[in-house]
Amino acid sequence: MKARVLEDGAGRRATFEEIEIGSPLGEMEWEITDDMIDLQCRLDEDFDRLFSLPGVDGKRVAPQQITYRPPRWLFSRAYNVRGLFVRWEMEMCGLIKSGDKIKVTGSIVDKYIKSDREFVVYQSEGRDLSGQLLFRTKRTHVLDFIERTAPRAGAGVDSGIKPERI
């Protein structure tokens, strides 16, 4: 019998009904380090000189993909969810460099049911501390691969990845 996970190491998982359109995901301050840029380059196997060598200001430019994790951290902090990432829109509005401090905020913008599965859409943006927009993103996340009509039961395994450790 198929079942969706009821809880994991972080506690009871959020239900589709508990996630409200318009709800804020909170905010976080995120500082870009050379180590983060190195990690992103390794993950993407993207070793362009732009990301490796410091510019005239002595700072390295970060790859655009570096913006993936903070919005997901906000979503996971606001709601204990797992699932699959199914759509991603992103717009870069400025360069992100080593040493930059970025305020990342987000909110739930939509949710819907399709093919007996629960989808949540959230958006996020990152601004430098002077308020300049650096990036914005909109993402769609399916809460479970298993159909929503399957019961919730039992405990699942948490990924073990904590936002503070990345």
Side-chain angles (χ1 to χ4, degrees):
M1 176 182 180
K2 290 183 183 178
R4 298 186 300 159
V5 174
L6 177 65
E7 61 184 293
D8 59 28
R12 189 180 65 75
R13 291 206 180 154
T15 66
F16 181 75
E17 293 74 23
E18 292 169 337
I19 299 172
E20 295 183 28
I21 297 171
S23 294
L25 298 178
E27 66 179 54
M28 64 179 281
E29 187 175 295
W30 177 46
E31 185 173 356
I32 305 300
T33 66
D34 284 326
D35 287 343
M36 288 177 184
I37 293 172
D38 290 340
L39 173 62
Q40 193 65 54
C41 289
R42 284 193 310 274
L43 290 171
D44 296 339
E45 297 182 2
D46 187 349
F47 302 101
D48 190 290
R49 290 172 23 131
L50 178 66
F51 311 134
S52 302
L53 302 174
V56 294
D57 60 359
K59 297 180 177 187
R60 293 168 54 199
V61 172
Q64 297 86 344
Q65 279 288 96
I66 206 165
T67 65
Y68 172 75
R69 288 183 295 279
R72 181 65 172 96
W73 294 337
L74 288 178
F75 184 42
S76 295
R77 287 177 181 176
Y79 298 100
N80 183 23
V81 295
R82 300 298 174 273
L84 303 169
F85 174 65
V86 295
R87 183 170 298 126
W88 180 20
E89 300 171 30
M90 181 186 67
E91 179 181 5
M92 293 302 295
C93 305
L95 289 178
I96 295 175
K97 296 183 175 186
S98 59
D100 285 355
K101 290 183 180 179
I102 301 170
K103 180 179 171 186
V104 183
T105 60
S107 63
I108 302 294
V109 294
D110 197 9
K111 67 180 192 176
Y112 58 92
I113 297 167
K114 181 178 176 184
S115 301
D116 201 27
R117 288 176 177 81
E118 301 163 333
F119 294 81
V120 175
V121 182
Y122 62 98
Q123 65 184 7
S124 184
E125 65 180 30
R127 295 179 178 271
D128 67 19
L129 297 185
S130 72
Q132 179 182 336
L133 181 65
L134 298 174
F135 72 89
R136 65 171 62 112
T137 184
K138 185 176 179 183
R139 301 172 183 191
T140 304
H141 185 94
V142 62
L143 295 181
D144 283 291
F145 180 73
I146 297 172
E147 294 86 355
R148 74 186 307 260
T149 50
R152 287 185 176 266
V157 176
D158 189 353
S159 67
I161 297 174
K162 303 294 182 221
E164 296 78 17
R165 291 177 25 204
I166 296 180

